[in-house]
Each structure stands twice: as structure tokens, then as C-alpha cells.
């Protein structure tokens, strides 16, 4: 039995194409998309339509991530353009409009999926953890915390969300982080997905890394209008693609609340983040 699990596509269509070609050559019995297909990337509509076509014709399972939830929650923002709250949510608002406001297709996605092997052992996939779809599993997560995050523990627990691949053992459970298709944060820009096999009572896991047309993914930020329409944060997302590191967290930790409450202008807050990046010397690195 072969199971392919891909996640965190984040509207990166060229990366999704490369990963799908590799998956289909492997001929898995099951394919699971483990959340964050849309948002934080330039081609959410095409990425979503692509996996939905696979769902219809090839039985792919598409799970919900926290970014699907962000986009769903944008329907609650009634403030007009220019209002601090609108500006703080502008990135997800752009995705929302790309999907023509059709969030029902996101809301119906299940949070988790289980596959039972012939010996009765189980694989469970969920975007982050059993506690929440924003509760990631990292190398620094303690065993005690990990046990809570995966309970009730299956034979194989598959998580994503951190954009950092990981394989860890805990009391008979193999914990697998798939890494990200569209936006890796482990410093390696290649797209990642997990190949998991069950054979004669043994589960085995391999993380596959694939080079893809990242120049096209970068051009998509401009060609789709995302850079212009998504607000000042999008240049930071583009820099995440370039550096294969999380950059948006710098803004979210310090400035999300002040911007939403109108205490600080969005453009000013992002300028401060760029200044911080520049001080670390990261701003002087070449994009590729
Ligand atoms: Mn993600």
C-alpha cells in the first residue's frame, strides 16, 4: 500500500505541477492534500481547481488547513478598503476574491483523514495537530507535548503546517512532517512531499525533494497582480519563496494587532520589518 501526502501548496502552481508528476509516476493507492492549498501565494484558484479535479477523477482527499480558515473568515470583514482591519486582512481578501467569494468549497473540507492498513494499523493525516490546525510539530516539541498533539496515537501520524520536514518516533508512533510543496521554510527551496508505504506489517516513510520552476513561481507574483493587489505583506511572502524561510512571522508577532486596531499603518509596519531583515544582512542576499 502506497500513500502520497502533499501539503502547504500555498498557490504555488509550478511546484504543484512538478510534485504531481512525481506522485503519478509513483502510482500511489491514496493521495492526501494535507491543508493550505490556498493563500500566501499567487495562484490559489488554479491550485485549488487542480486538486479538486484530482479529487473528482482520482479520489484525492483534500483536507483543510489554517489558511483555508483565514480565507473563510474574511467573509466576516465588512470594513471597506482603506480601513485598518481590511488592510490587515488584505492578503486573504485577495485570495477570497480570486475564489469569487466561494468559501463553501473550503468550509466543506474535512480536518483529518485516516487510512487503515490490512493489519488494522492506522495512518492519520491532519494539517497541524489534534489540538488545532495552527499547533505545529517541530524538532523542539517535547515528547510530552507531542503525545498530546497526536492523541489518540495511530501507527503513523502525518502533520504539515511548519513547512519543515521531520520524521520522529514516539512510543510506537511514527510522526511525519511532510514539509511544504509551495513554500519550504527549512532553507531548502525544493518542493517537498511524503511517500509512505505499508508492506507486510511495516510502515516506511520517505520525504522527497524536487527542484521545480521557481523563477516562474516568482514571476507569478507579478503576472497575477498579487504583488500589487495583496498589499505590502506580499513582498515579504515573495521573499519567503526566495529565502525558503518564514518571514511573515516577523510581522505577525509584532504588528498584527497594532495594524488591525489602527495604531499603526500597514505600509509603515512592513517597512519596519524590512529594516529588521536588512539589519540581519538578509536583505543583501541575492534572491536565488
Ligand atoms: Mn502552510
Amino acid at each position: 500500500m502506497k500513500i502520497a501526502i502533499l501539503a502547504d501548496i500555498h498557490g504555488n502552481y509550478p511546484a504543484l505541477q512538478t510534485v504531481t508528476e512525481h506522485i503519478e509516476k509513483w502510482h500511489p493507492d491514496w493521495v492526501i492534500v494535507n491543508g493550505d492549498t490556498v493563500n500566501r501565494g499567487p495562484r490559489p484558484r488554479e491550485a485549488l481547481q487542480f486538486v479538486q479535479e484530482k479529487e473528482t477523477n482520482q479520489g484525492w482527499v483534500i483536507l483543510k488547513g489554517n489558511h483555508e480558515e483565514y480565507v473563510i473568515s474574511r467573509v466576516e470583514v465588512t470594513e471597506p478598503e482603506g480601513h485598518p482591519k481590511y488592510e490587515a486582512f488584505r492578503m486573504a481578501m485577495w485570495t477570497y476574491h480570486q475564489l469569487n467569494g466561494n468559501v463553501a468549497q473550503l468550509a466543506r473540507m474535512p480536518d483529518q483523514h485516516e487510512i487503515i492498513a490490512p493489519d488494522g494499523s492506522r495512518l492519520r493525516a491532519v494539517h497541524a495537530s489534534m489540538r488545532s490546525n495552527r499547533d505545529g510539530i517541530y524538532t523542539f516539541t517535547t515528547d510530552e507535548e507531542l503525545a498530546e498533539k497526536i492523541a489518540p496515537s495511530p501507527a503513523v501520524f502525518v502533520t504539515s503546517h511548519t513547512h519543515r520536514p521531520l520524521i520522529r518516533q514516539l512510543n510506537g508512533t511514527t510522526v511525519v512532517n511532510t514539509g511544504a510543496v509551495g513554500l519550504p521554510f527549512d532553507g531548502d527551496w525544493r518542493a517537498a512531499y511524503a511517500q509512505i508505504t505499508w508492506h507486510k506489517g511495516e510502515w516506511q516513510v520517505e520525504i522527497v525533494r524536487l527542484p521545480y520552476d521557481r523563477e516562474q513561481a516568482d514571476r507569478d507574483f507579478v503576472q497575477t497582480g498579487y504583488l500589487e493587489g495583496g498589499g505590502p505583506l506580499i513582498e515579504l511572502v515573495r521573499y519567503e519563496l526566495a529565502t525558503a524561510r518564514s518571514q511573515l512571522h516577523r510581522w505577525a508577532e509584532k504588528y498584527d494587532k497594532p495594524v488591525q486596531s489602527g495604531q499603526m499603518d500597514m505600509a509603515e509596519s512592513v517597512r519596519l520589518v524590512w529594516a529588521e531583515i536588512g539589519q540581519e544582512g538578509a536583505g543583501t542576499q541575492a534572491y536565488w
Side-chain angles (χ1 to χ4, degrees), residues 19-28 50 54 58 60:
V19 167
T20 301
E21 275 172 33
H22 198 271
I23 286 174
E24 291 187 339
K25 277 184 200 150
W26 190 52
H27 296 293
F50 184 84
K54 297 291 179 188
Q58 293 176 46
W60 285 26

Side-chain angles (χ1 to χ4, degrees), residues 197-259:
T197 52
W198 180 93
H199 184 67
K200 295 181 180 169
E202 293 283 330
W203 289 95
Q204 286 196 332
V205 182
E206 193 179 331
I207 305 291
V208 177
R209 299 305 288 262
L210 300 167
Y212 71 97
D213 190 351
R214 190 167 57 144
E215 285 81 1
Q216 182 58 53
D218 182 64
R219 283 194 297 272
D220 284 341
F221 276 74
V222 179
Q223 288 171 353
T224 62
Y226 188 41
L227 200 57
E228 211 178 328
L233 287 177
I234 308 309
E235 191 67 65
L236 280 177
V237 178
R238 192 185 190 189
Y239 192 56
E240 291 184 323
L241 181 78
T243 54
R245 298 281 181 195
S246 173
Q247 307 292 344
L248 222 49
H249 74 277
R250 303 168 185 270
W251 179 84
E253 282 160 15
K254 281 189 193 166
Y255 303 118
D256 189 10
K257 280 180 190 159
V259 169

Side-chain angles (χ1 to χ4, degrees), residues 73-278:
S73 68
R74 290 304 79 88
V75 295
E76 294 155 17
V77 180
T78 52
E79 287 79 359
E81 205 171 332
H83 188 282
K85 195 163 179 194
Y86 185 103
E87 294 309 312
F89 290 153
R90 194 177 188 109
M91 189 173 95
M93 199 66 82
W94 189 87
T95 303
Y96 173 83
H97 289 301
Q98 291 295 303
L99 304 180
N100 297 315
N102 180 1
V103 292
Q105 59 186 334
L106 307 179
R108 71 176 170 83
M109 293 175 180
D111 292 309
Q112 56 173 290
H113 186 74
E114 280 200 349
I115 291 170
I116 306 174
D119 64 356
S121 64
R122 286 164 189 264
L123 172 149
R124 189 189 312 130
V126 57
H127 181 63
S129 91
M130 298 307 288
R131 303 197 299 200
S132 116
N133 63 15
R134 298 184 65 179
D135 181 44
I137 292 172
Y138 299 84
T139 47
F140 56 79
T141 302
T142 64
D143 283 356
E144 207 173 28
E145 268 189 301
L146 184 56
E148 285 175 23
K149 285 170 189 266
I150 68 174
S153 57
V156 180
F157 186 90
V158 184
T159 176
S160 301
H161 182 66
T162 66
H163 300 204
R164 295 167 180 86
L166 174 76
I167 300 174
R168 223 172 123 169
Q169 302 293 330
L170 183 77
N171 306 328
T173 297
T174 301
V175 178
V176 183
N177 194 316
T178 60
V181 170
L183 215 48
F185 290 161
D186 63 343
D188 179 348
W189 65 271
R190 295 173 303 164
Y193 82 96
Q195 291 184 339
I196 302 178
T197 52
W198 180 93
H199 184 67
K200 295 181 180 169
E202 293 283 330
W203 289 95
Q204 286 196 332
V205 182
E206 193 179 331
I207 305 291
V208 177
R209 299 305 288 262
L210 300 167
Y212 71 97
D213 190 351
R214 190 167 57 144
E215 285 81 1
Q216 182 58 53
D218 182 64
R219 283 194 297 272
D220 284 341
F221 276 74
V222 179
Q223 288 171 353
T224 62
Y226 188 41
L227 200 57
E228 211 178 328
L233 287 177
I234 308 309
E235 191 67 65
L236 280 177
V237 178
R238 192 185 190 189
Y239 192 56
E240 291 184 323
L241 181 78
T243 54
R245 298 281 181 195
S246 173
Q247 307 292 344
L248 222 49
H249 74 277
R250 303 168 185 270
W251 179 84
E253 282 160 15
K254 281 189 193 166
Y255 303 118
D256 189 10
K257 280 180 190 159
V259 169
Q260 272 201 53
S261 64
Q263 287 172 286
M264 189 184 282
D265 175 61
M266 173 60 101
E268 174 60 15
S269 71
V270 175
R271 267 196 298 274
L272 291 170
V273 173
W274 279 113
E276 192 182 303
I277 291 170

Side-chain angles (χ1 to χ4, degrees), residues 8 10 35-36 40 66-67 127 161-163:
D8 294 288
H10 287 289
D36 283 9
R40 208 176 187 171
N66 56 311
H67 278 266
H127 181 63
H161 182 66
T162 66
H163 300 204

